Amino acid sequence: MTKEGYIHSEAVGNASSCNSLAVGNDDDDDDDDDDRSALETSLQIEKEWRTNLQASCEQEREKLMQTQMEVAQLKHLKKDYSELIAKHEELTVTCKEQESALAELGSHLSESKLKVEDMREAAATHREAQWASDETATHCKQCSTEFSLARRKHHCRNCGDIFCHECSDNKMPLPSSSKPVRVCDTCHTHLLQRYSASS
């Protein structure tokens, strides 16, 4: 091999080596770009995931605060309800006591009215001066039948008027008498109603 040939061969070898090194460097740069791109993608995904997680945590925190407020309101309502129940029971007891007192007062009032009525009846029966006179009475006060020897006159011991036997064939106890005495039909009905109301 001549000197020129040797020099040419060395030059070709060096050129090949340089080309190989250049190709190797290009491949390394491509790998670095791919790694950087993948890393950036991973970082972007992680950033989005963290943002979504923070938003979700914030929503859960707001829900928790809302739930705690509702629980506090329910506790307050429960306390108010318990107080209302106690007040209702107290008012129920008071109402029953007042109803009992009113019933007792009503009973006393009825008794008082009856006593007043009895006093009036007794006063009326004692007013003998107001009894109808036998001389002036010619007819029955109720049925207007004329008196005769067969149809005798009878005084009602309650009102004092004069009636025939058929219109005064009743006997009732009066405050002025210790035993039942003759009363007319009208007074008999009135006294029965009064006595039944008092029983």
Side-chain angles (χ1 to χ4, degrees):
M1 179 182 290
T2 62
K3 183 176 180 180
E4 289 81 3
Y6 177 78
I7 292 171
H8 177 71
S9 177
E10 286 290 329
V12 171
N14 289 333
S16 298
S17 297
C18 288
N19 288 332
S20 297
L21 288 173
V23 171
N25 287 334
D26 290 339
D27 291 340
D28 290 341
D29 291 340
D30 290 340
D31 292 340
D32 290 341
D33 291 340
D34 292 340
D35 292 341
R36 187 180 297 108
S37 177
L39 182 60
E40 288 176 353
T41 301
S42 298
L43 288 174
Q44 182 66 28
I45 292 173
E46 182 179 358
K47 182 178 180 181
E48 292 177 356
W49 176 79
R50 186 173 299 172
T51 301
N52 292 332
L53 183 61
Q54 289 176 350
S56 178
C57 289
E58 185 65 25
Q59 292 177 356
E60 293 298 328
R61 189 178 296 110
E62 291 178 357
K63 290 181 179 179
L64 179 61
M65 291 177 62
Q66 182 68 25
T67 303
Q68 289 175 346
M69 290 176 61
E70 291 177 355
V71 169
Q73 291 177 354
L74 288 174
K75 288 182 178 179
H76 184 68
L77 289 174
K78 182 179 179 181
K79 181 180 178 182
D80 292 343
Y81 178 75
S82 299
E83 292 177 353
L84 287 174
I85 290 295
K87 188 66 175 178
H88 174 71
E89 293 177 353
E90 181 181 352
L91 290 175
T92 300
V93 173
T94 303
C95 182
K96 289 182 178 179
E97 291 177 351
Q98 291 179 351
E99 287 178 352
S100 178
L102 285 174
E104 186 176 357
L105 286 174
S107 177
H108 290 326
L109 181 61
S110 298
E111 292 177 0
S112 298
K113 287 183 177 179
L114 289 175
K115 289 180 180 179
V116 170
E117 189 68 23
D118 289 340
M119 292 174 64
R120 288 177 179 174
E121 294 291 341
T125 55
H126 285 123
R127 291 197 298 266
E128 296 182 355
Q130 295 184 1
W131 279 25
S133 174
D134 288 339
E135 289 77 11
T136 60
T138 60
H139 294 77
C140 175
K141 180 72 175 180
Q142 181 169 327
C143 67
S144 300
T145 302
E146 185 177 2
F147 294 120
S148 63
L149 293 177
R151 188 175 297 276
R152 298 180 57 190
K153 302 175 183 179
H154 300 277
H155 276 94
C156 173
R157 297 299 188 270
N158 187 59
C159 65
D161 286 327
I162 297 178
F163 301 86
C164 65
H165 175 75
E166 287 77 8
C167 296
S168 60
D169 189 18
N170 311 286
K171 289 192 176 183
M172 292 288 292
L174 296 177
S176 60
S177 176
S178 59
K179 60 181 181 179
V181 292
R182 181 184 293 271
V183 293
C184 66
D185 292 344
T186 303
C187 291
H188 180 259
T189 303
H190 173 72
L191 292 172
L192 279 179
Q193 291 175 353
R194 186 161 62 88
Y195 291 153
S196 62
S198 63
S199 60

